[in-house]
Amino acid sequence: MRQLQNGVCLALIKYLFIKRFTTKSAIYLAFLILSQGTLVYAQSSKVDSLKNLLERPLPDSTHFDILLQLASKLEDKNSKNRYYRNALEFIPTLKDQHRVFNVINNYAQWLREKGVSSDSIILVYKSGLEALNDPKYSIPIYYALGEFYFGQGEDEKAEQTIYEGIKLADERGSARGIARGYVVLGNGQFYKLEYEKAFTLYTKADSVCEANEELKVTSLRAKILNYIGYTVRVTHGYDKVIDYYLNARDIYMEIGDQVGLQEVNLGIAQYYTNKGDYDKAESLLTGAINYYRDRGPRSSYTYGIISRGYLFLSQKKYDEALKDYQLYYDIAFEGTNKLFQLNALNYMSYIYLEMKKFDLAAQFGEEAIKLSKEIGERETRKKVYEQLIRIYTEDEATERLNQTYEDYLALRNELDSIGKDKEIFDLEAKYQSEKKEQEIALLTTQNQLAEQEKQNQLYLFLGLMALVLIFTVVFFILYRNRQKVALKLQELDSAKSNFFANISHELRTPLTLIKGPVEDQLSKKELDEESYTNLLMINRNANRLIELVDQLLDLSKLESGNMRLQIEKGQALGHIRAIASSFQYAADQKYIKYDIDVPVEESDSWFDKDALEKIAVNLLSNAIKYTPEKGEIKVLASLSKGSLTFSVRNTGIGISAKEIERVLDRFYQSDSTREGAGIGLALVNELAMIHKGKLAVKSIENEFTLFEVILPVAKENFKSDELRSTFTISNKESVDHTEIVSPVDQEGLAFDESKPLLLIVEDNADVRKLVSNIFKDDFQIIEAEDGEQGIESAIKNVPNIIISDLMMPVKDGMVLCQTIKEDERTSHIPIILLTAKAGDEHVVAGLETGADDYIVKPFSNDVLKVKVEKLIELRASLRQRYSQEIILKPQEIAITSADENFLSRVEKLLDEKLSDSDFTADIFSKEIGMSRMQLHRKLKALVGLTTTEFIRSQRLKVASQILQKPGINMSEVAYAVGFNDPSYFSKCFKEAYGHSPSAYAKSKSA
């Protein structure tokens, strides 16, 4: 052997010299050949040695290992198979279950790759099941065998085998094993195109993972979610698939599984492609392609390439698409998978068709037809024929088009014939199996029918008689019940009306007792401004309660039918003009452009004055309420052909199309952060209808809202009993619709460092005023009307404490609290949330956002003051603790993670800059990323020092540590901690520690 190798090498070297290779190159090449020959010889020698060992008496485990080594080293298919089979004979004697499992798994996988008969593969799996008694290893074999049965089309055996594995996993208490079983079953249904069944099985697997804490965040669950996404995409389209993909991606990212992450990214990219978000899709596909190119698997790599090619094609980026299709083609023809190559040819034909390069498109298409015939793939061939027909049609190649169309028709007929034959075969088999059963059943049935027919006739007659009797009784009972219900409803309406009348009167008494003394006090001139404002607020809200009570009473009368029109002759336009004019002051208070377009001259009309007043007052009150400052309100009224048209149009946020249908409902509220509609609009609608008119609503979001009422005002429109009598609808007191608001001027506010700064965030002006009055003597007060303004004010002014309402427009208290606590500039600020939501769950939710305390409305002023004082004292104690610390310890001083992060950054910055004498407060604030004021207030809150004092304090603390070491020069210490002047350093040190630096050093060394 070696002589032969040496001879070959010498001959090769001689040849290389003749061909004018260099000596060095020739010798090097010969060395490589000799080395390879030596390896081959060594490999051959090792195989021979192993074969010789098999002839000796050996322990079973050793014999087993040698057979496996021979099977792994030999390339010959028959030899490898023989040694694997011999190894299987020793499996029953082995105790190592793990080794048995690996052998079964590897051998079966190799057989499947080589395309060996299914009987051989099944035999291997069953040998493993007989030998394996540990469920940990036998369960995967059950699943592998079931998966193989699915591939062979033996679905019943597959399901039976897999359910055996699931049962074993259940007995073992293995949730992972159960979930994996359902996944294998789902895969089997998916490949059969039974997507709904696959979805059900995948969902079962996910439920198992969801119920098990150890499986909630695992690659198995992420894979299941990905599979569910595939089935949903096929059955319901892309709209409902993204949540599954995103959940799977989050799990893969959390556990750091890059292979799974890229796999699910391919699905997400398909979603974005379908939605037309091509940039996101391209980014995901390119990332997956780059990942798979270096690591595999190859199938995922090629899938990513062809998906990106399709993406480019969707955007008509033909050059980029062609590159990916060409790359897919090259990879396909590097291997031997004919089906892969057929797909590649089909893709190339398609891209050239889209590029209008018909010759190349036809060339690849014909190659695909040729290959599909070679491997017998009819379905793909049919698609290629359809593509070629399109190519030849657009290229106007009539002759080739005709021939291709004939071939296509022949193939389609062939496929139809195959489908029919299979259908006929299935039906015939089913027919034969059922035929015998039907013959037996028929004989039995014929004997029973005659007897049964007689009984049925008797039962039918009796049933009909019973049915007639039952219906008679039921109808009689229903009639009696309907009479009783009608009577009860009348009594209920009467009782409800009486209840609202009584409760209205009961509420009027205490409200009168409130209004009387308040109005008496308001008439006194010696009242101070604060008392006057508080009493005015009480009076205004008492009036509002009276108005609400009246509205409830009116609605009750309308519903019960007890309200009657009191029509009288008058000037409707003048009545409306007078009511509209009374709202001018309220509009001026909000700087609203208020336009009243009501004609002065008019003829007499017939209308209910009280109803018209309520309609006008409610519409105008709503307009004033929902129109922003400097907005516009236009009031229109006109008479035409016996009808009164009255409309109120205001600018503002408007009403969405969805909400317009509900805006007339009582107390309708579109979301929890916006104020409800109350009952005013519902009352307007009811009054318009009873007046034989109608209310219409039109609105465009963020532009305007228009309420238009059309009422008949001609006498002939009303009955005689509806004309004016001594009865009146209401003796409602006049209500003051104006509000006096004294806004807090916060511009140019110079904060006094001797008083802490309190920020009040509340959308209700009265509540803001109430809280402000509680703390005005001890705090400086700034206010904000909603969460967004509150956040801006907190960042700008850095208050010492914040009191905020929970439910507010724009941004609520939860968002404010979370934002404040996550921002380093404001994270140290204590926050107290005020809310009307009682209950432990709301308290917990508030505290979880980072709130320092939570108070339910209505609250005690004293309790609120104590809570604020305690939070301020807590901050003071933390500052006191810092002043006693020699070294800054963020983890012990900080209240929140943001504070800890801030102090850690401060510590790091001081380590770098403290020795620099040019390090000032301005540089400090710039380096830390805050304004000088923000840093000043942040440090004052956390450590009780200004920025300059904090820098000096840290320098002195570092100096005190250095001075504890012997032999230290005082001037060197001063320069080392950033002091330019040693004497100034000595002065500052003595003020801080009560000793000069040298005396301090001596005391420490002693």
Side-chain angles (χ1 to χ4, degrees), residues 366-378:
E366 294 293 351
E367 285 292 324
I369 294 293
K370 188 176 182 181
L371 183 57
S372 68
K373 290 180 178 179
E374 179 184 333
I375 63 176
E377 175 55 51
R378 293 185 180 88

Side-chain angles (χ1 to χ4, degrees), residues 233 237-243 245-246 265-277 281 284:
R233 186 183 71 186
Y238 283 92
D239 291 337
K240 298 184 179 180
V241 76
I242 190 63
D243 289 339
Y245 283 152
L246 293 179
N265 278 346
L266 291 175
I268 297 173
Q270 292 273 355
Y271 170 80
Y272 285 134
T273 301
N274 180 263
K275 292 299 180 184
D277 197 340
L284 290 170

Side-chain angles (χ1 to χ4, degrees), residues 218-261:
T218 59
S219 59
L220 173 62
R221 179 146 189 254
K223 187 178 295 185
I224 292 168
L225 290 169
N226 201 15
Y227 289 160
I228 294 175
Y230 283 132
T231 58
V232 171
R233 186 183 71 186
V234 175
T235 54
H236 297 89
Y238 283 92
D239 291 337
K240 298 184 179 180
V241 76
I242 190 63
D243 289 339
Y244 295 105
Y245 283 152
L246 293 179
N247 288 340
R249 184 185 66 178
D250 291 343
I251 293 174
Y252 280 133
M253 291 177 68
E254 185 171 345
I255 64 179
D257 185 344
Q258 284 297 317
V259 175
L261 177 61

